[in-house]
Structure formats: C-alpha cells, structure tokens
C-alpha cells in the first residue's frame, strides 16, 4: 500500500535499516524528510526511491509538499512520529479519506488544555490545577500555592516550559512565549519524582506497558547535565502507575497508537498527571525498552500507522535485570567527543550512542543528549554505580578513572 512517511528524526531511527519498519515494498514508500537532524542519515535510494526534501521549519511548505504527494501519488497511509507532525498527518487523513488517527483524537494528545479538559470532564481526579491564558491575559491570582508552570499548549520536550516563582515572573514568561507565537497555559508546580508510561495500544486495548522513573525531571536539562530513566518491574508504585496510565488512556482514547504518558508522584505518594503523547517517547526510551523487553516501540508505531499489527513478542516477560538509560548533554563550551572504550570498562553496557552538536548555543530540548547509554545490572544499586562510570568516562574524555572517590560522579539522586 502506498505510504507517505513525514520524517524529521534520524532516518534510521524512524524507518529502520533500509526502511525495514515500513510493511510495504520500496516502490510504495514516499519519504518526505529534511537534511537537518539526521533526516537523511543512512538514506538508501533503493529503499526509498521516492524522496522529497523540504525545510520542515516552515510548516506551510511542509504541508504543501505533503498534500501534493498524497494527491499526486494516491497515498493510502500516512506515517508521522514527531510531535510536530501528528496533527498534519491527521488532517491529511481526514481530508483525503484515509484510515488512521483523526484530528479530534490527535488534539486530545497535542493541545494540553484540550487534553486536561477531556480528563476533567470524564471525572479523572489526578490532574494538577491549571488554566488556559488568553492572548495578553495577565494572571492576577492563582488557586494554588508555590511556583507556577507556564507552558505552550502545543509545546514538546521541555523547551517551551517556564517555571515562575511569582505572578510577575509567570506573566513575563507568558508574554515571552506569546511573542514566539505560542498559545499558553499555566498550572501548579508539582513537587515529586517523575515517571513515564510507554504503551502499545491496539483498537483501544493496551497490549504492552512499561513503567519507568526519570533520574531527574526532563525540565532540568542544562549543558553538561545528566538525565535518564530506570525501568520499574514491580512493586506498589509500578502497579499504581500502570493503573493510572490505563485510566488516562481510557479517556483520551488513542484508538491504535504507541503512547507516552508522564506522571508526578508527590512525596506523600499521590500520583499527578503531567501530559500524554500519542507517539514513541524520545531521548533513548526506544533503546531502553528494546533492551528491557525486546520491544521496538518505534517500529510498532510505524506498523500501526501503516495499518498492520505491531511486531510484539508472543509472550512479554518482565526484565530479568535492572535496566536503565543515562543521557549526558553537550558541554557548555568546546566540542564533545565520543567516550572511547566504554564497552570494555563499563559492565552491562547494552548500547552507547554519541550525537555531535547539531546547532550552536544552549541545550534546546530534554532529549538533546550528546551521549546516551543503556545499561543493565543485577540490582538498581549496581546500575547506579555503572551510571557513574559512564558519567566519569564522558567527563574525563576517555576511560573511567580507577578508584574514583565516592560522590565524584554527578548522577542525579533518585
């Protein structure tokens, strides 16, 4: 079946080796991509004989190219994995009578106010306090104590999130985002650990869910900083998050999709919804779950959007070992370089990727890692020690220093 894939990821991440994620022959693959950010990395003309390259920064040009491809080549399936492209894919499906996720469903996962309003309207109790802000509207009071989070209703990652200590700072943050063309919402700042639930949903039925804890909140990215995740395999918190994730997905109703839902857990144990996306989680989550469960959530997402059943193991067993990923951001000055010899000096290393700096200046997104490693260990305590070895190796510019002092490795506290 003729399939259009709208791509702005690293090409091999999105489509697999030579387009292997796409369940259709090369002559039926129509690739719309960009040069920036690895959009042509590993391109093979025999795997993608129909290639269109655009500057995806300009949304109108991207949409015009996509519409032309759909209409000219009688496209029957549209695949899009990036948050910025989900709504375009839904609009194309509706306007051309194609199967797949529609606009109304997509909006419940893209517009953060529509998302939370849907949950509130269904009686879901795990929401933070929040409100939409109209253009130019000033906050004069809020019904919560403490800090205020100001964010784009359409934002992704953490680039368009601001944390304000008072109303003056919150209003300044809102004006800053509005000046960039954003619609804005405000909500209470929630203190606590942060988790993510990554699921595969088929015809409204959850067929797989992994629960993971972030090492630090995704909004805490900074030059040289460290973030990551550890997969949870059991216990009361794991079960509570699985149940909370199921409640959210029952309301937001993705139909068939790979989903990424984030929650906070207050110090007293209360779970609070953060936000949800109907696409695979970024920042190495695909590699993490591939190591832990043998499930490729990116491939599953491509297959679902292509109209076929996702490739999942017949029996999905919980991981037998502690599994986690650690990401280290580009340093503030100078050029980072790959950490050599990690395979030999860090036990349990499943994978390691180095990504050169793609644009000058500050770290822009929570997933903009320079170094990304997935590790396994017998226990979470040993996993922490192995995380520290990776951090030490990266910051030393080579192999870990033997007998490094305790506390010398800046791995975030749990």
């Amino acid at each position: 079946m003729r399939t259009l894939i709208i791509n702005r990821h690293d090409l091999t991440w999105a489509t697999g080796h030579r387009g292997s994620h796409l369940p259709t022959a090369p002559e039926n693959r129509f690739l719309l991509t960009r040069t920036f950010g690895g959009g042509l990395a590993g391109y093979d003309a025999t795997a993608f004989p129909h290639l269109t390259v655009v500057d995806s920064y300009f949304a109108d040009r991207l949409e015009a190219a996509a519409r032309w491809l759909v209409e000219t080549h009688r496209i029957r399936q549209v695949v899009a994995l990036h948050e910025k492209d989900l709504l375009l894919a839904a609009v194309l499906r509706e306007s051309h009578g194609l199967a797949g996720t529609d606009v109304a469903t997509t909006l419940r996962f893209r517009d953060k106010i529509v998302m939370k309003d849907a949950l509130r309207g269904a009686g879901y109790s795990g929401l933070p306090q929040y409100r939409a802000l109209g253009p130019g509207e000033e906050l004069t009071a809020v019904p919560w104590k403490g800090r205020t989070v100001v964010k784009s209703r359409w934002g992704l990652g953490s680039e368009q999130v601001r944390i304000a200590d008072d109303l003056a700072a919150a209003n300044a943050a809102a004006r800053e985002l509005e000046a960039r063309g954003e619609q804005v919402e405000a909500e209470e700042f929630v203190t606590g650990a942060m988790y993510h639930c990554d699921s595969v949903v088929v015809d409204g039925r959850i067929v797989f869910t992994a629960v993971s804890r972030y090492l630090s909140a995704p909004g805490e990215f900074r030059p040289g900083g460290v973030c990551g995740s550890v997969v949870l395999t059991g216990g009361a918190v794991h079960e509570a998050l699985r149940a909370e994730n199921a409640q959210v997905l029952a309301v937001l109703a993705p139909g068939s999709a790979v989903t990424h839902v984030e929650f906070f857990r207050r110090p007293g144990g209360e779970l609070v919804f953060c936000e949800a996306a109907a696409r695979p989680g970024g920042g190495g989550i695909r590699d993490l779950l591939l190591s832990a469960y043998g499930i490729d959530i990116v491939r599953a997402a491509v297959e679902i959007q292509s109209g076929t059943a996702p490739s999942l193991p017949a029996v999905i067993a919980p991981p037998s070992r502690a599994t986690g990923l650690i990401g280290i951001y580009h340093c503030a000055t100078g050029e980072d370089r790959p950490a050599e010899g990690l395979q030999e000096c860090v036990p349990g290393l499943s994978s390691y990727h180095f990504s050169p700096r793609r644009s000058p200046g500050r770290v822009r997104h929570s997933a903009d890692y320079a170094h990304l490693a997935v590790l396994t260990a017998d226990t979470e305590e040993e996993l922490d020690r192995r995380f520290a070895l990776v951090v030490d190796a990266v910051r030393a510019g080579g192999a870990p220093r033997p007998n490094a002092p305790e506390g010398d490795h800046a791995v975030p506290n749990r």
Side-chain angles (χ1 to χ4, degrees), residues 152-368:
S152 166
R153 291 171 59 166
W154 302 87
L156 65 155
S158 301
E159 183 187 20
Q160 294 151 306
V161 177
R162 306 289 182 269
I163 299 174
D165 290 328
D166 53 40
L167 290 182
N171 286 321
R175 300 296 80 76
E176 177 206 346
L177 290 173
E178 283 184 347
R180 299 167 60 181
E182 302 292 344
Q183 294 177 299
V184 180
E185 70 147 328
E187 61 183 51
E188 66 172 309
F189 179 85
V190 179
T191 300
M194 197 169 180
Y195 298 80
H196 56 97
C197 297
D198 299 275
S199 302
V200 178
V201 186
V202 178
D203 295 330
R205 184 172 63 91
I206 300 173
V207 297
F208 168 74
T209 294
V211 178
S212 307
R213 179 183 61 250
Y214 285 115
L215 296 182
S216 59
E220 295 178 4
F221 60 94
R222 66 189 186 282
V226 178
C227 195
S229 300
V230 173
V231 175
L232 305 186
T233 56
V237 174
H238 172 266
E239 293 308 310
L241 282 159
R242 282 178 61 92
E244 204 78 7
N245 177 67
Q247 284 187 58
V248 166
L249 294 181
V251 175
L252 298 183
S256 294
V258 169
T259 60
H260 175 73
V261 185
E262 294 177 333
F263 298 94
F264 299 98
R265 184 171 183 264
R266 297 188 195 269
E270 178 191 0
L271 296 178
V272 181
F273 174 79
C274 177
E275 56 190 56
R279 43 83 181 162
I285 291 173
R286 176 255 182 192
D287 293 340
L288 174 70
L289 301 186
L290 192 58
S291 177
Y293 291 96
I295 290 174
D296 188 335
I297 56 171
V298 173
R299 178 170 193 150
V302 172
E303 290 169 335
I304 286 171
Q305 292 190 39
S306 299
T308 64
S311 298
L312 300 175
V315 177
I316 301 175
S320 58
R321 311 190 76 209
T323 308
L325 71 89
I326 188 162
I328 304 170
Y329 298 104
H330 288 276
C331 61
T333 59
E335 288 299 320
D336 296 273
R337 57 180 177 138
E340 304 292 343
L342 284 184
Q343 198 72 49
E344 291 74 32
C345 55
V346 180
L349 186 71
S350 296
S351 63
Y352 167 73
H353 301 289
F354 172 76
S355 298
R357 192 190 299 271
R358 285 172 171 160
S359 59
R362 63 185 178 85
V363 179
R364 296 179 60 243
H365 293 288
S366 58
D368 283 351

